[in-house]
């Protein structure tokens, strides 16, 4: 078991080492200016662990206690997707050209794209939850019929 963990960890460590080498190739020639990049790279995980993860965990616990059973799973999954999509879209929402331009990336409206994607995600919640409610009611009706026959 321990050997399997080591074998699985080696590619990750190799990728980490390669990423450090690439960052040093980038950062060393432009050191004073690359300090902000270092803060950005280090700040992202810190902000995620200090702000986003605890908020998402608290919201997940609240949803698990408040929502009826057929709605819990779909709403929790969609809440996570909403957080991830917001986190990914943040650089484009914060500033118009918050990331280096790529062909086609800045051609569209970032807010509209995010809202359309979230509309699809939350529409799926509605559809899946309604299907689960119908299945639950059919199952309950079958149980009642089987008990009435007994």
């Amino acid at each position: 078991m321990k050997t399997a963990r080591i074998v699985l960890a080696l590619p990750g460590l190799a990728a980490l080492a390669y990423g450090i080498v690439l960052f040093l190739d980038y950062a060393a020639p432009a050191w004073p200016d690359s300090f902000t990049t270092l803060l950005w790279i280090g700040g992202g995980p810190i902000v995620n662990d200090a702000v986003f993860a605890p908020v998402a965990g608290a919201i997940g616990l609240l949803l698990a206690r408040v929502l009826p059973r057929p709605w819990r799973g779909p709403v929790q999954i969609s809440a996570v997707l909403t957080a991830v999509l917001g986190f990914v879209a943040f650089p484009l929402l914060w500033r118009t050209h918050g990331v280096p331009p790529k062909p086609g990336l800045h051609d569209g409206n970032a807010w509209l794209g995010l809202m359309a994607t979230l509309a699809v995600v939350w529409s799926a919640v509605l559809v899946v939850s309604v299907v689960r409610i119908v299945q639950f009611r059919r199952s309950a009706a079958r149980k009642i019929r089987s008990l009435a026959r007994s």
Side-chain angles (χ1 to χ4, degrees):
M1 186 71 122
K2 204 172 203 179
T3 307
R5 289 183 184 174
I6 292 171
V7 169
L8 289 173
L10 287 177
L13 292 173
L16 178 65
Y18 184 61
I20 290 171
V21 167
L22 289 177
F23 180 75
L24 291 176
D25 285 344
Y26 156 78
W31 170 241
D33 296 330
S34 61
F35 182 71
T36 56
T37 305
L38 186 63
L39 288 176
W40 179 254
I41 290 171
I46 291 171
V47 169
N48 179 59
D49 292 349
V51 178
F52 291 120
V55 169
I59 290 171
L61 285 173
L62 178 70
L63 291 175
R65 294 183 188 272
V66 173
L67 291 174
R69 191 164 188 81
W71 291 87
R72 282 184 198 157
V75 170
Q76 288 174 331
I77 290 170
S78 295
V80 169
L81 286 174
T82 300
V84 168
L85 289 169
F87 194 70
V88 169
F90 178 74
L92 290 174
L93 300 175
W94 181 31
R95 295 185 311 199
T96 305
H97 297 286
V99 295
K102 294 180 183 161
L105 183 63
H106 297 289
D107 296 344
N109 183 344
W111 281 103
L112 180 64
L114 178 62
M115 292 302 128
T117 306
L118 292 178
V120 169
V121 166
W122 286 97
S123 296
V125 167
L126 185 63
V127 169
V128 168
S129 296
V130 167
V131 167
R132 291 178 72 174
I133 289 169
V134 168
Q135 288 175 342
F136 176 76
R137 288 187 178 168
R138 285 183 183 168
S139 173
R142 279 190 213 117
K143 285 181 185 177
I144 290 172
R145 277 189 235 127
S146 68
L147 289 175
R149 289 179 191 158
S150 306

